[in-house]
Amino acid sequence: MIKENSIIRKTDVINRRMFIIGAAKFIVFAGIVARLFSLQINENKKYLTLSDKNRIREWKLPPTRGDIVDYFGNVIAGNLKVYQLHIIPEQIENFNYLISRLKALLELSDKKIENIIKTKKKIKPWESIIVSENLSWSQFLKINNYLYDLVGVKPVMTISRNYPFNDMYTHVLGYVSQPNEEEILNNDIVAERFVPGMKIGKLNLEKRLENYLIGTNPIQRYEVNAYGKRINQLEFQKGEQGSRVRLTLDTEIQKSCAKLLNNRAGSISVMDIFTGDIIAMYSSPSYNPNLFLFGISNDEWELIRNNPLKPLINKSLSGLYSPGSTIKPIVALSALENNVVDTNFKVKCTGKMELYGQTFHCWKEKGHGVVSLKNAMKQSCDTYFYEVARLLGVDRLNVTAEKFGLGKKVLGDYFEIEKSGLFPNTKWKKNNLGKGWVLGETLITGIGQGYIQTTPLQLCLMTAQIANGGYPIKPKIVVNNNPLSIEEAKNLMLEEAQKNPNKKLFKNEKNIKIIQETMFSSTNERFGTSYRSRIDDPKYQFAGKTGTAQVKRISKRERELDLDIEQIPYKDRDHALYVAYGPYVNPRYALSIIVEHGGSGSRTAAPIAKELFKLIIDRHELRNQQSNFEEISI
């Protein structure tokens, strides 16, 4: 009996233990099932995404920049296909053999080979090394013909920036190149879209409009193995090209400017006197921005940098020059506006003027005789303007000059390199030089010499605002949405001036007309300084003012020698200037021309205007009727 009870108790213990174990197994199994259900059903998307991240990788490619076009839609900064050569180290069987073969096929320099070896040490084995960014077609064919012997080599076709007009627009557009660390950090959009091989604007409009031009990255998606090596391309997502930007410039006129300057140091600027559109802005000499796309050679860089004519300087915006006699219309206008002189005021010119023991010479040694305002402007009599400046004073002259754009940036929003220039007054000299103004400085300021410094574009703006009747305009080089025709812009300008008298740059409209008439006589009447460059046809007839700016003080001996320009050392020759607007009846365009060390404005600069105005006027109707494109708003 005792033995039987013992067996029963043992059986109960075993049954309880089996039940506990079974229950535990059930709980564990239920937990596993629940967890599996949670992982595979409830959190399916989460772990699928994590899995894909381990299995799938994205590679961003360099974005395609937007095109820059001229007013008529001609591409002046675009993109073209280029052929590159990449190598993938992990696929190379014998690296030294491959490098020696590429060196022979492509004629690579020892320095280039050294850079490839250094790059190989820095990157992962499956990452590409760019051997050449710009293979010629013949080189590309040669590589493809020898691919059987070049294991690990990958010929690639991609997109790069291109400037089809070479040096024609360099000082307007700038160029692109690979960004440095500071440029990446300072621009959030560049930082977000940066990939090796991407190029950004380094200068001028390419830099200023970077955020509009940059585009979005194309994306390649690849399946990779556990080591990160690409196995298979799954998808290619095309990026969006950057915005297209339309400029106000006319390529045909820009070409003509380059041809007329003919590699002489100087600048030509052309402006619409109502809309403020910059029609042409050419600085000479220039350089080819395509040289910078794939890294300029030391020899090419030294040729550009050491050129005595300074092709790196944008003379239209950064060149500072004494305006010479081109300032005389503003001097005369200021004197008329301040009731200092009138059209009957006369001065006797004997060829020089004495003041406190100092002699101020007129350009004509024997003088012009008795001259009025019209004859003084026509013959550019210095003595007359010495006297007018003396009576006017530099402070009142400064007010008028600044109204018409002198001493201020014209396109400062677009170009970091633009300089303000200087139109001095008594306060400026005291604050900056710590000295008081003297009367002799007023006299030479009245003929555009002394402290005064202007850019060619400022002189163009000054002339444009004289030509349009004395109304302010805001120059621009990028076409905004819905651009106005010239007639619409003119009417709007006049309407605003009627509503707001402060929109006028003059006190008496009659004074502006007097200046316009004197500029006409300077070009179109006998004895005018630019009479030989006149055009009799009213369609092309223009009014202008010559200028000759000294670059050094002329000694008494040099004045007595009276040397021809060819006998004077190049750097000692005067700068030649000319400002003009046309056609004289119903004017539409203004221009400024400067030829560094070109001698006299009448001899060198004015004939350029004669050739240029014919083209400008002939293209007016084409411009005015040009249909709109899609443009950006800046």
Side-chain angles (χ1 to χ4, degrees):
M1 186 69 179
I2 294 173
K3 186 176 181 181
E4 183 177 345
N5 290 338
S6 176
I7 291 172
I8 292 172
R9 284 196 299 271
K10 285 181 180 181
T11 301
D12 290 340
V13 170
I14 291 171
N15 289 337
R16 284 196 300 272
R17 289 175 179 176
M18 290 296 292
F19 175 77
I20 293 171
I21 292 171
K25 286 180 178 181
F26 177 79
I27 292 171
V28 170
F29 180 75
I32 292 172
V33 170
R35 182 58 177 162
L36 288 173
F37 181 86
S38 174
L39 292 174
Q40 295 185 40
I41 305 300
N42 293 342
E43 300 185 32
N44 172 60
K45 291 184 179 180
K46 172 185 174 182
Y47 288 99
L48 182 61
T49 301
L50 292 173
S51 174
D52 283 343
K53 284 185 177 180
N54 289 330
R55 182 177 63 89
I56 299 172
R57 298 284 172 83
E58 289 185 351
W59 274 268
K60 292 195 297 184
L61 302 178
T64 301
R65 292 180 75 78
D67 292 340
I68 301 178
V69 301
D70 75 351
Y71 193 81
F72 295 91
N74 301 303
V75 176
I76 59 178
N79 302 288
L80 80 169
K81 294 178 182 178
V82 295
Y83 304 102
Q84 297 183 345
L85 180 64
H86 298 193
I87 59 175
I88 304 172
E90 73 166 0
Q91 298 177 1
I92 300 172
E93 296 175 355
N94 188 327
F95 186 79
N96 292 332
Y97 171 76
L98 177 64
I99 291 299
S100 65
R101 291 287 287 134
L102 291 178
K103 182 178 181 181
L105 289 171
L106 301 178
E107 299 179 358
L108 300 177
S109 65
D110 291 336
K111 185 175 181 180
K112 182 67 176 178
I113 297 299
E114 185 180 332
N115 289 336
I116 293 171
I117 294 172
K118 285 182 179 178
T119 303
K120 178 178 178 292
K121 294 177 180 178
K122 295 178 182 178
I123 65 171
K124 297 175 182 178
W126 55 82
E127 293 180 340
S128 296
I129 301 173
I130 301 177
V131 174
S132 176
E133 287 190 277
N134 188 28
L135 290 173
S136 66
W137 176 244
S138 60
Q139 288 175 323
F140 190 71
L141 285 178
K142 188 184 291 185
I143 291 296
N144 278 279
N145 288 336
Y146 285 95
L147 274 180
Y148 67 89
D149 192 36
L150 302 173
V151 179
V153 167
K154 184 180 179 182
V156 175
M157 186 174 69
T158 186
I159 299 294
S160 180
R161 202 56 158 167
N162 176 53
Y163 301 98
F165 294 99
N166 295 327
D167 62 351
M168 195 71 63
Y169 283 105
T170 305
H171 289 109
V172 174
L173 300 176
Y175 61 91
V176 299
S177 190
Q178 294 186 9
N180 57 41
E181 184 177 354
E182 183 180 354
E183 289 168 329
I184 296 172
L185 293 175
N186 289 341
N187 188 317
D188 292 339
I189 295 178
V190 172
E192 177 190 349
R193 302 177 190 178
F194 173 75
V195 292
M198 187 181 86
K199 294 179 173 65
I200 66 168
K202 290 285 187 172
L203 197 65
N204 299 338
L205 292 183
E206 286 278 25
K207 181 178 181 180
R208 168 67 178 85
L209 304 175
E210 179 64 39
N211 292 350
Y212 298 96
L213 294 168
I214 190 171
T216 59
N217 302 86
I219 296 175
Q220 291 177 331
R221 289 187 175 86
Y222 283 90
E223 184 178 6
V224 299
N225 62 18
Y227 299 99
K229 179 182 175 181
R230 301 180 190 182
I231 299 173
N232 182 39
Q233 180 172 314
L234 301 176
E235 182 186 1
F236 178 79
Q237 181 179 318
K238 188 177 181 181
E240 291 186 7
Q241 185 175 358
S243 299
R244 186 177 77 159
V245 177
R246 179 185 174 202
L247 304 186
T248 60
L249 300 170
D250 184 335
T251 297
E252 292 304 313
I253 298 176
Q254 190 85 352
K255 283 181 183 178
S256 183
C257 293
K259 183 179 179 181
L260 290 167
L261 282 175
N262 193 27
N263 286 321
R264 292 176 290 184
S267 163
I268 299 177
S269 300
V270 183
M271 185 183 297
D272 185 306
I273 68 171
F274 297 119
T275 66
D277 287 358
I278 306 297
I279 311 300
M281 188 172 70
Y282 185 74
S283 175
S284 177
S286 188
Y287 59 93
N288 190 345
N290 291 308
L291 296 173
F292 291 82
L293 298 180
F294 307 107
I296 189 170
S297 69
N298 287 332
D299 290 342
E300 290 172 324
W301 171 244
E302 289 301 318
L303 282 174
I304 295 173
R305 191 172 70 89
N306 295 323
N307 187 328
L309 300 183
K310 301 180 179 179
L312 291 172
I313 295 178
N314 184 338
K315 297 174 178 64
S316 301
L317 296 172
S318 301
L320 294 176
Y321 306 92
S322 296
S325 294
T326 61
I327 199 65
K328 288 175 180 176
I330 288 296
V331 178
L333 178 62
S334 185
L336 291 169
E337 290 278 276
N338 288 284
N339 298 314
V340 172
V341 301
D342 58 25
T343 53
N344 296 318
F345 177 76
K346 292 182 173 65
V347 172
K348 184 178 181 181
C349 173
T350 61
K352 59 184 178 181
M353 179 178 180
E354 301 287 344
L355 183 69
Y356 300 123
Q358 188 175 357
T359 302
F360 297 86
H361 294 273
C362 182
W363 69 267
K364 189 174 183 180
E365 184 180 358
K366 295 183 180 180
H368 294 92
V370 177
V371 290
S372 62
L373 173 58
K374 181 179 179 180
N375 284 328
M377 189 76 76
K378 181 198 299 186
Q379 300 181 65
S380 199
C381 175
D382 291 333
T383 303
Y384 181 92
F385 284 93
Y386 288 146
E387 180 62 17
V388 170
R390 184 184 72 81
L391 296 172
L392 176 65
V394 72
D395 288 335
R396 288 190 289 188
L397 176 56
N398 168 272
V399 172
T400 305
E402 289 192 348
K403 278 184 181 179
F404 279 80
L406 302 182
K408 299 177 182 178
K409 291 183 179 182
V410 178
L411 291 172
D413 291 342
Y414 296 107
F415 296 90
E416 295 178 355
I417 60 169
E418 183 176 4
K419 293 184 178 179
S420 300
L422 169 66
F423 204 101
N425 57 17
T426 54
K427 184 178 180 181
W428 169 85
K429 187 181 179 186
K430 188 67 176 178
N431 291 341
N432 290 275
L433 302 182
K435 297 179 181 179
W437 190 268
V438 297
L439 186 56
E441 292 168 337
T442 300
L443 269 61
I444 61 174
T445 302
I447 63 165
Q449 297 285 166
Y451 297 116
I452 180 173
Q453 296 282 286
T454 59
T455 66
L457 195 60
Q458 287 175 356
L459 293 177
C460 188
L461 174 60
M462 174 196 79
T463 309
Q465 293 178 148
I466 290 174
N468 71 21
Y471 298 96
I473 55 177
K474 184 172 178 57
K476 60 180 181 293
I477 200 166
V478 176
V479 178
N480 295 322
N481 289 323
N482 303 317
L484 299 176
S485 70
I486 294 173
E487 284 70 21
E488 290 171 334
K490 180 180 179 180
N491 293 334
L492 180 62
M493 182 184 72
L494 294 174
E495 287 174 8
E496 289 181 353
Q498 289 177 351
K499 295 176 182 177
N500 184 1
N502 293 329
K503 290 288 184 180
K504 300 176 182 178
L505 301 177
F506 56 84
K507 299 175 184 175
N508 188 338
E509 187 176 5
K510 180 181 177 182
N511 294 328
I512 291 287
K513 291 181 178 178
I514 292 171
I515 299 305
Q516 292 174 342
E517 291 170 0
T518 60
M519 291 179 70
F520 176 83
S521 67
S522 179
T523 302
N524 297 281
E525 296 181 6
R526 287 178 61 83
F527 305 113
T529 54
S530 54
Y531 180 68
R532 287 181 297 178
S533 298
R534 74 192 184 284
I535 301 177
D536 292 326
D537 185 345
K539 179 180 178 181
Y540 304 108
Q541 199 171 45
F542 59 92
K545 183 69 192 77
T546 57
T548 302
Q550 294 179 7
V551 297
K552 64 183 287 290
R553 188 181 182 91
I554 300 176
S555 67
K556 183 178 179 180
R557 174 172 170 75
E558 288 172 330
R559 193 176 297 278
E560 291 172 350
L561 288 174
D562 192 24
L563 299 174
D564 291 335
I565 186 171
E566 292 79 9
Q567 298 173 294
I568 302 173
Y570 175 78
K571 289 189 176 181
D572 292 341
R573 298 174 187 173
D574 297 335
H575 294 326
L577 299 97
Y578 191 63
V579 296
Y581 68 90
Y584 180 68
V585 179
N586 296 321
R588 296 183 179 96
Y589 300 101
L591 60 74
S592 68
I593 299 168
I594 180 167
V595 181
E596 290 186 3
H597 308 293
S600 70
S602 59
R603 177 181 176 180
T604 307
I608 293 176
K610 180 178 180 178
E611 296 297 322
L612 201 53
F613 261 117
K614 290 181 180 179
L615 177 63
I616 294 171
I617 302 304
D618 283 341
R619 292 188 65 80
H620 168 71
E621 287 304 320
L622 288 175
R623 185 177 187 86
N624 208 23
Q625 296 171 9
Q626 180 64 23
S627 59
N628 294 340
F629 293 95
E630 293 180 5
E631 301 94 13
I632 64 168
S633 295
I634 302 296

